[in-house]
Amino acid sequence: MDRAETDQTIRRLIEPFDKKGVEITDATTFAGDLEFDSLTVMDFVAAIEDEFDVIISMNQQAEIETYGQLVDAVHEMQADR
Amino acid sequence: MSEGIRQPDRPQTLESESRDLFSKFDDLIAMREGLLASGQEDPFSLVMEEVLSPTRAICNGRDTILLGTYNYMGMTFDPDVVAAGKQALDDFGSGTTGSRVLNGTYQGHKACEDALREFYAMDHAMVFSTGYQANLGIISTIAGKGDYIVLDIDSHASIWDGCAMGKAEVVPFKHNDVEAMEKRLRRIPEGAGKLVVLEGVYSMLGDVAPLAEMVAVAKKHGAMVLVDEAHSMGFIGEHGRGVCEQAGVIDDVDFIVGTFSKSVGTVGGFCVSNHPKFEIMRLVCRPYVFTASLPPSVVATATTSIRKLMQGSNKRAHLWENSRRLHGGLRDLGFQLGTEEPQSAIVAVIMPDLERGAAMWEALLKEGLYVNLARPPATPANMTLLRCSLCAEHSAEEVETILGMFERAGKAVGII
């Protein structure tokens, strides 16, 4: 799966969590723009983990602030597998 | 793994910017001021001026029934417990002034660890100065950088802080969700150290973890298991060893962490284990090494209390009666509760919002009843809760009185 495909899949997964209908770009932030609280983050991360069969620890999440960083991280994790 | 004792005991001083470091608390300060401006009594500055018994005190000038302490087995005024503390004060003085690994180990600390070993029928017991330090120390020492900790999202702050201090990879799962826990365990890289951290009773809603399934899953995936039994010790399980005893999995649990500040009725924390190398923890666990040991009077009261809890089956039976009656009575009055059935000595009453929760808390206090007001961010799903913790010393009549108080206060505030 290339980065564009990863992006498309994550875009689909984020939809039910994007309650305010924020337009998602690579620069969209989870805490600021999307206002995700810790429970939402956990559910969203679980959805990504299930889809890609990867694990994203809270320590890794702390490094990911924007949507673009998330797509890059998931893309890299898949490449490593 | 943690570097433990080889690290210096003073952190490096970091350069700070010149901004006001307190500005990050502004939202919380505003919330508190808003609440108090409406004439509400401050729910977080209750003073017990006189304590009359495990279930009654003079609070803010009023004779009050205590339904918001963790004195589950009512041991704080047990005559044998109090006598043991007084004797230890006379014999050993008011404090040890030192760490357990230096001058802080007295005969009383060893006796307390003996009582814990016997209580849990385990090989090793280690006493900490608080329950918070027990979790902080054990978790951060056994799960370090590169190891994985899988834990319930509703875990206590001491568990989260232990994870952060050890720098392990932290992977939370949805509260009490066995399937979510297994998925995460399955994906952890092969060969990595794995620790699953669970609680027997979760203190906010008073609900119990499905430990039979969870411990089996953890073991299947080669993880060590730590269970915090703070809110079940003395009360749940045939011998009062907690939810893991009741679920029949205590032999598969690697570490049980607990506290003296609940059923035991004093202050302190502990960890028991059958791990053959457990004793090395006394040298490598920083919250054990770098803090003063408990005063002799405290370990003497704890030892006496723990030994009496072994014979506490009558008290346990009465506490269950109280829990069932309060839970059923509140549900019949129309309150929304944290669990469908009574699962522990904690009965959580869910409030519609913080404002009405605080008003209800105050109305109950004026009736002469103290409960805990729990609010975000300490609560799951941003709930506001009135948390009732029952005591084996609450009489059946007191429970009826409490229900009457809830009915009057609930109607006055408009919740029922």
Side-chain angles (χ1 to χ4, degrees):
Chain A
M1 195 182 278
D2 62 20
R3 191 187 185 280
E5 284 172 308
T6 305
D7 175 84
Q8 279 308 310
T9 308
I10 296 179
R11 221 165 261 278
R12 174 171 56 79
L13 292 174
I14 206 168
E15 222 167 78
F17 297 96
D18 182 12
K19 303 273 190 228
K20 293 181 357 188
V22 172
E23 196 190 335
I24 310 282
T25 69
D26 273 1
T28 302
T29 62
F30 295 101
D33 298 328
L34 289 159
E35 296 179 14
F36 278 10
D37 59 21
S38 60
L39 281 179
T40 309
V41 168
M42 183 194 64
D43 286 340
F44 176 52
V45 166
I48 293 179
E49 287 180 342
D50 288 350
E51 178 73 30
F52 294 96
D53 197 22
V54 294
I55 194 161
I56 308 172
S57 70
M58 286 181 78
N59 316 49
Q60 286 170 289
Q61 289 167 35
E63 305 292 316
I64 299 170
E65 287 176 12
T66 66
Y67 177 80
Q69 288 169 341
L70 175 70
V71 175
D72 287 338
V74 174
H75 182 59
E76 268 173 46
M77 269 185 258
Q78 283 183 296
D80 290 344
R81 290 176 70 229
Chain B
M1 297 292 278
S2 167
E3 290 298 301
I5 200 167
R6 284 181 293 169
Q7 293 177 11
D9 63 348
R10 285 185 198 179
Q12 283 182 318
T13 308
L14 297 173
E15 293 292 324
S16 64
E17 294 170 25
S18 59
R19 69 189 176 88
D20 185 343
L21 295 171
F22 278 58
S23 57
K24 55 180 157 298
F25 309 124
D26 286 350
D27 287 352
L28 195 57
I29 291 168
M31 185 180 87
R32 187 161 185 255
E33 281 173 354
L35 201 61
L36 298 184
S38 65
Q40 163 81 41
E41 223 169 303
D42 188 349
F44 309 110
S45 64
L46 182 97
V47 177
M48 299 210 185
E49 288 129 8
E50 202 180 330
V51 181
L52 309 170
S53 76
T55 62
R56 295 188 87 93
I58 307 292
C59 299
N60 294 2
R62 281 180 291 253
D63 190 339
T64 305
I65 297 179
L66 301 175
L67 193 65
T69 76
Y70 291 131
N71 199 359
Y72 300 129
M73 298 294 274
M75 298 307 280
T76 52
F77 279 83
D78 182 278
D80 296 332
V81 168
V82 173
K86 284 179 177 167
Q87 190 64 51
L89 262 175
D90 285 344
D91 294 347
F92 294 95
S94 58
T96 68
T97 77
S99 157
R100 283 295 302 275
V101 295
L102 300 172
N103 59 303
T105 297
Y106 286 19
Q107 165 269 341
H109 297 87
K110 303 301 276 182
C112 189
E113 286 168 348
D114 287 345
L116 282 166
R117 271 196 292 274
E118 211 174 304
F119 185 92
Y120 284 99
M122 289 213 182
D123 294 341
H124 307 279
M126 199 167 149
V127 166
F128 289 79
S129 295
T130 65
Y132 174 88
Q133 285 176 314
N135 267 332
L136 190 73
I138 296 291
I139 294 170
S140 66
T141 311
I142 59 181
K145 201 167 169 51
D147 298 325
Y148 280 77
I149 299 175
V150 176
L151 80 172
D152 192 295
I153 188 86
D154 286 350
S155 292
H156 189 260
S158 57
I159 293 171
W160 287 106
D161 292 356
C163 293
M165 192 166 125
K167 300 188 176 70
E169 296 293 327
V170 179
V171 184
F173 62 86
K174 195 174 166 190
H175 179 54
N176 275 352
D177 187 332
V178 183
E179 195 189 333
M181 176 189 138
E182 176 154 34
K183 277 183 188 166
R184 281 162 175 69
L185 270 172
R186 204 177 54 219
R187 295 185 184 121
I188 291 174
E190 223 170 294
K194 284 172 263 188
L195 175 68
V196 171
V197 182
L198 305 166
E199 291 181 49
V201 173
Y202 284 85
S203 69
M204 283 298 154
L205 296 178
D207 58 327
V208 160
L211 286 188
E213 293 91 336
M214 286 180 149
V215 173
V217 165
K219 288 286 133 181
K220 189 174 95 184
H221 289 279
M224 283 189 157
V225 181
L226 181 151
V227 181
D228 182 329
E229 295 276 16
H231 293 274
S232 52
M233 181 189 186
F235 175 43
I236 295 178
E238 191 190 345
H239 300 92
R241 290 171 190 157
V243 179
C244 57
E245 181 186 33
Q246 191 175 45
V249 292
I250 196 165
D251 292 338
D252 291 326
V253 170
D254 298 275
F255 310 97
I256 293 177
V257 168
T259 176
F260 297 159
S261 61
K262 298 183 169 72
S263 289
V264 178
T266 178
V267 68
F270 65 87
C271 180
V272 292
S273 175
N274 283 327
H275 195 290
K277 298 178 189 170
F278 188 74
E279 289 300 318
I280 195 62
M281 294 295 283
R282 293 188 198 275
L283 296 181
V284 295
C285 179
R286 293 167 65 81
Y288 178 88
V289 173
F290 294 108
T291 200
S293 66
L294 287 168
S297 55
V298 170
V299 280
T301 55
T303 306
T304 307
S305 180
I306 291 162
R307 292 200 175 280
K308 290 195 86 163
L309 289 177
M310 292 184 208
Q311 270 77 47
S313 55
N314 287 345
K315 281 191 164 198
R316 284 196 269 280
H318 179 61
L319 185 48
W320 272 120
E321 280 168 24
N322 283 347
S323 175
R324 280 192 283 268
R325 175 64 191 127
L326 183 70
H327 189 283
L330 288 173
R331 196 187 46 204
D332 292 346
L333 284 170
F335 287 103
Q336 191 191 350
L337 304 183
T339 56
E340 283 294 309
E341 300 297 327
Q343 296 186 8
S344 66
I346 300 169
V347 178
V349 188
I350 300 172
M351 294 289 114
D353 49 54
L354 177 62
E355 285 68 30
R356 277 180 286 178
M360 180 75 185
W361 177 87
E362 189 175 43
L364 286 172
L365 194 63
K366 286 183 174 155
E367 285 277 344
L369 181 69
Y370 172 71
V371 298
N372 294 144
L373 175 65
R375 53 154 181 87
T379 48
N382 292 326
M383 283 189 277
T384 298
L385 304 169
L386 291 185
R387 216 154 32 130
C388 308
S389 314
L390 283 151
C391 175
E393 296 295 322
H394 281 124
S395 65
E397 295 73 40
E398 261 176 328
V399 177
E400 298 307 319
T401 305
I402 290 165
L403 286 168
M405 291 166 156
F406 259 96
E407 183 173 16
R408 285 189 295 277
K411 284 179 177 161
V413 176
I415 290 173
I416 55 167

